[in-house]
Amino acid sequence: MLYSTIETLKKNQLSITDSRKKILEMFVRSKGALAHADIESQSGTEFDRVTIYRTLQTFVEKGIIHTIPTADNSVRYALCKDACTEGHHRDDHVHFMCDHCGTTYCLDHVHVPKVSLPEGFTSTQMDLVVSGKCMKCNH
Amino acid sequence: MLYSTIETLKKNQLSITDSRKKILEMFVRSKGALAHADIESQSGTEFDRVTIYRTLQTFVEKGIIHTIPTADNSVRYALCKDACTEGHHRDDHVHFMCDHCGTTYCLDHVHVPKVSLPEGFTSTQMDLVVSGKCMKCNH
DNA sequence: TAATATAATGCAACATTGTTGCAAAATATT
DNA sequence: AATATTTTGCAACAATGTTGCATTATATTA
Ligand SMILES: [Mn+2]
Ligand SMILES: [Mn+2]
Ligand SMILES: [Zn+2]
Ligand SMILES: [Zn+2]
């Protein structure tokens, strides 16, 4: 089922504001993940830097978007497509960063495989980030 | 085979300086990974912040240490135990971050499993970071 | 719908992290 | 020991992120 941005905001008990509507729409339209800087440049001077930070934080807390751990330690965000809820993310899919065009993809259908940890270690979360050349850049 | 810090520096054609000796020694002694801030606090006012940044950069370039992509997007470093050389890292092991004590471990003997990517995607690097409770914190 | 209560925004100020240029100091080479 | 080369410390700057607070926008209630 697909929700409009307004429906998504309502469903998460967030008040409907211009910044939230527009930023959420950017994620819906975008193929890849977005960094704070992407949102800032796409929205021009429409919103304050701080508003963007706070909007992203709120969306993460509500389980609307998730952060992506990248090899270069920059912060990127993408829509949650799994059953994420407030304070509980379930994004157990693989992420892909293209070395060539820089796009970061959620590979929603590729799951992180189990690995056997050494005696005594127990896991609650696994993040797998694959780098290489994407679909488009492999022409 | 085990090299002394001085031998390691020589082997990599680096001049022997106080900061390089001491910082490399910190890595050799440390069980887990180190962040810039750890090195700064452990060394007090002995070295300038900039020197620490430059030393870490040099070590990464030479294949002496590698960066660890973490879920919280903070930068950590650990000794390379694989056959890393100048400009070419081969650290294909799993990393573990303890949610409880914060220690980051290189699980040198746990390799990153292959995953099948969607048509058109080709990979050059895979980073798997597992979070949970470590050996010590599971008491 | 209008009045009131609540929440989000913009701004300024600050903190943290990382980078660069350059003179002084340390190390390596002759 | 003298010279060449490299590294260091300092200052200045850039990028990224956080906080407090008055103003503005949204939601609630009458
Ligand atoms: Mn994702
Ligand atoms: Mn490692
Ligand atoms: Zn690409
Ligand atoms: Zn632990």
Side-chain angles (χ1 to χ4, degrees):
Chain A
M1 186 171 180
L2 253 155
Y3 294 96
S4 74
T5 54
I6 292 184
E7 280 172 327
T8 302
L9 294 175
K10 277 186 183 161
K11 202 159 58 79
N12 285 281
Q13 301 161 71
L14 293 172
S15 35
I16 317 297
T17 67
D18 280 0
S19 50
R20 284 174 183 168
K21 274 187 288 183
K22 294 228 178 149
I23 292 173
L24 184 49
E25 204 136 323
M26 284 185 201
F27 280 106
V28 173
R29 285 185 206 283
S30 170
K31 296 285 176 198
L34 296 175
H36 178 277
D38 297 325
I39 295 166
E40 204 175 338
S41 62
Q42 274 185 49
S43 60
T45 58
E46 197 172 357
F47 313 117
D48 193 83
R49 255 163 31 83
V50 179
T51 301
I52 298 174
Y53 279 115
R54 290 198 269 228
T55 303
L56 291 171
Q57 246 174 250
T58 303
F59 285 178
V60 170
E61 281 162 14
K62 289 291 187 178
I64 299 171
I65 61 176
H66 61 278
T67 58
I68 301 175
T70 59
D72 67 343
N73 283 292
S74 64
V75 186
R76 307 206 180 188
Y77 304 86
L79 277 186
C80 292
K81 288 152 198 165
D82 304 307
C84 298
T85 56
E86 177 153 7
H88 194 79
H89 282 266
R90 300 190 162 285
D91 309 277
D92 60 343
H93 54 268
V94 173
H95 290 103
F96 187 93
M97 276 195 72
C98 181
D99 297 326
H100 196 255
C101 67
T103 308
T104 303
Y105 299 85
C106 291
L107 303 180
D108 298 299
H109 302 301
V110 183
H111 283 248
V112 180
K114 297 268 175 293
V115 296
S116 58
L117 300 173
E119 193 65 28
F121 288 80
T122 50
S123 82
T124 54
Q125 202 199 332
M126 310 209 345
D127 287 295
L128 177 56
V129 184
V130 181
S131 308
K133 254 190 180 173
C134 79
M135 198 178 55
K136 287 179 196 164
C137 294
N138 269 323
H139 85 143
Chain B
M1 187 172 180
L2 253 155
Y3 294 96
S4 74
T5 55
I6 291 184
E7 280 172 327
T8 301
L9 294 175
K10 278 186 184 159
K11 202 157 59 77
N12 286 281
Q13 301 163 72
L14 293 172
S15 34
I16 316 297
T17 67
D18 279 0
S19 50
R20 285 174 181 168
K21 274 188 288 182
K22 295 229 177 150
I23 292 173
L24 184 50
E25 204 137 323
M26 283 186 203
F27 279 106
V28 173
R29 285 184 205 284
S30 171
K31 296 286 176 198
L34 296 174
H36 179 277
D38 297 324
I39 294 166
E40 204 174 340
S41 61
Q42 274 185 48
S43 60
T45 57
E46 197 172 358
F47 312 117
D48 192 82
R49 252 162 34 82
V50 179
T51 301
I52 298 174
Y53 279 115
R54 290 198 270 227
T55 303
L56 291 171
Q57 249 175 246
T58 303
F59 286 177
V60 170
E61 281 161 15
K62 289 292 187 178
I64 298 171
I65 61 176
H66 61 278
T67 57
I68 301 175
T70 59
D72 66 344
N73 283 293
S74 65
V75 186
R76 307 205 180 188
Y77 304 86
L79 277 186
C80 291
K81 286 150 199 166
D82 305 307
C84 299
T85 55
E86 177 152 8
H88 195 79
H89 282 267
R90 301 190 161 283
D91 309 278
D92 60 341
H93 54 268
V94 174
H95 290 103
F96 187 94
M97 275 195 72
C98 182
D99 298 326
H100 196 254
C101 68
T103 307
T104 304
Y105 299 85
C106 291
L107 304 181
D108 298 298
H109 302 300
V110 183
H111 283 248
V112 180
K114 297 266 175 294
V115 296
S116 58
L117 301 172
E119 193 64 27
F121 288 80
T122 49
S123 83
T124 54
Q125 202 198 332
M126 309 210 345
D127 286 295
L128 177 55
V129 184
V130 181
S131 308
K133 255 190 180 174
C134 79
M135 197 177 54
K136 287 180 194 162
C137 294
N138 270 322
H139 86 147

